[in-house]
Amino acid sequence: MKILLVEDDKNLAAGIVDYFELEQVVCDHIDNGVAALNLLAANHYQVLVLDINLPKLSGYEVCKQLRQQGNKIPIIMLTAKGRLEEKLTGFDMGADDYLVKPFAMDELVARVKALSGRVSSQATRYRVAGLEIDINGHIVKRDGQVLKLSPLSFKLLSCLMKASPSPVERSSLMEQVWGDNIPELSSLKVHIHNLRKEIKDKEADEALLHTIPAMGYVIREPDED
């Protein structure tokens, strides 16, 4: 599991990162709202742990902007305040859970794992423009027409559709698809090229699978560039 922590209290953040490491959870850390949005646009995370009182952009605003962008990442908000009005504000902005400081690290880890598990077990169908994937049914459609994808293309598409509209780093994509048997980068490029051809609408001028230079790939509608 890979999560993002947005917290400006350096001591608290260091403790959280270390604790998650003990739980075999990769935890990236950033200390302000603007940087958080930039990092979320360039990486795929299973859960966002988000403090409310942040420099540059509040946690409320980060949450609001993510939801407006269509980003469905599960969000746990952290705050030193526990008033009902503030919790309701967080939920109105799109937060999934709320934890009041000080909290037990075990509880934070449990809530993160619960949210990640809930998403992974429930979300099995994804749609971007005319492209649809049913992961459980192993079906891919483009504008209602069933596509025949190779098993590896299906795995690549599954990872990209789950993350959409956020991009997926090349290293993360290869790890998710190939596990420990990671191939050469050139092999990934060939498979991405094939996938792009397999899912492209022959009637459309623009593809849904985009390359992010020096970073990775993303599935999104053309007007989201």
Side-chain angles (χ1 to χ4, degrees), residues 163-181:
S164 179
S166 300
V168 182
E169 290 180 305
R170 292 190 183 97
S171 59
S172 176
L173 192 57
M174 289 193 288
E175 184 177 316
Q176 291 180 64
V177 173
W178 282 278
D180 294 332
N181 302 311

Side-chain angles (χ1 to χ4, degrees), residues 95-130:
D96 299 278
D97 202 354
Y98 206 103
L99 201 54
V100 179
K101 302 174 185 176
F103 49 81
M105 291 292 186
D106 283 345
E107 182 177 7
L108 176 59
V109 171
R111 292 193 184 206
V112 165
K113 289 184 176 180
L115 275 181
S116 176
R118 189 186 310 166
V119 171
S120 62
S121 64
Q122 290 182 355
T124 61
R125 298 186 180 188
Y126 301 85
R127 180 186 178 95
V128 178

Side-chain angles (χ1 to χ4, degrees), residues 26-213:
V26 176
C27 181
D28 288 348
H29 168 242
I30 205 73
D31 63 3
N32 70 82
V34 173
L37 287 176
N38 292 334
L39 204 56
L40 286 159
N43 298 274
H44 176 55
Y45 297 97
Q46 276 85 1
V47 178
L48 171 62
V49 180
L50 179 65
D51 187 32
I52 288 179
N53 297 311
L54 294 169
K56 299 185 181 180
L57 201 64
S58 74
Y60 288 139
E61 190 60 30
V62 171
C63 187
K64 180 181 177 181
Q65 289 192 31
L66 287 173
R67 297 311 188 220
Q68 288 175 341
Q69 294 167 8
N71 193 320
K72 300 178 180 65
I73 184 173
I75 299 174
I76 298 178
M77 283 194 149
L78 304 179
T79 181
K81 304 170 184 177
R83 292 186 301 180
L84 177 60
E85 312 89 80
E86 288 165 337
K87 292 184 179 181
L88 292 177
T89 298
F91 289 131
D92 285 343
M93 294 295 179
D96 299 278
D97 202 354
Y98 206 103
L99 201 54
V100 179
K101 302 174 185 176
F103 49 81
M105 291 292 186
D106 283 345
E107 182 177 7
L108 176 59
V109 171
R111 292 193 184 206
V112 165
K113 289 184 176 180
L115 275 181
S116 176
R118 189 186 310 166
V119 171
S120 62
S121 64
Q122 290 182 355
T124 61
R125 298 186 180 188
Y126 301 85
R127 180 186 178 95
V128 178
L131 182 63
E132 305 172 65
I133 185 169
D134 179 347
I135 294 175
N136 282 352
H138 209 87
I139 297 171
V140 177
K141 294 181 181 180
R142 183 71 196 258
D143 299 324
Q145 299 297 312
V146 176
L147 303 179
K148 293 183 179 180
L149 269 61
S150 68
L152 206 145
S153 288
F154 187 86
K155 286 184 179 181
L156 285 170
L157 183 61
S158 297
C159 295
L160 292 165
M161 290 289 277
K162 287 178 183 178
S164 179
S166 300
V168 182
E169 290 180 305
R170 292 190 183 97
S171 59
S172 176
L173 192 57
M174 289 193 288
E175 184 177 316
Q176 291 180 64
V177 173
W178 282 278
D180 294 332
N181 302 311
I182 295 178
E184 297 290 331
L185 181 57
S186 58
S187 179
L188 173 63
K189 291 180 179 178
V190 169
H191 288 296
I192 287 290
H193 175 74
N194 292 337
L195 176 60
R196 185 177 279 116
K197 289 195 299 182
E198 289 173 318
I199 65 174
K200 189 178 187 304
D201 183 349
K202 295 179 176 58
E203 304 298 323
D205 294 330
E206 297 184 80
L208 297 177
L209 175 49
H210 305 263
T211 299
I212 310 298

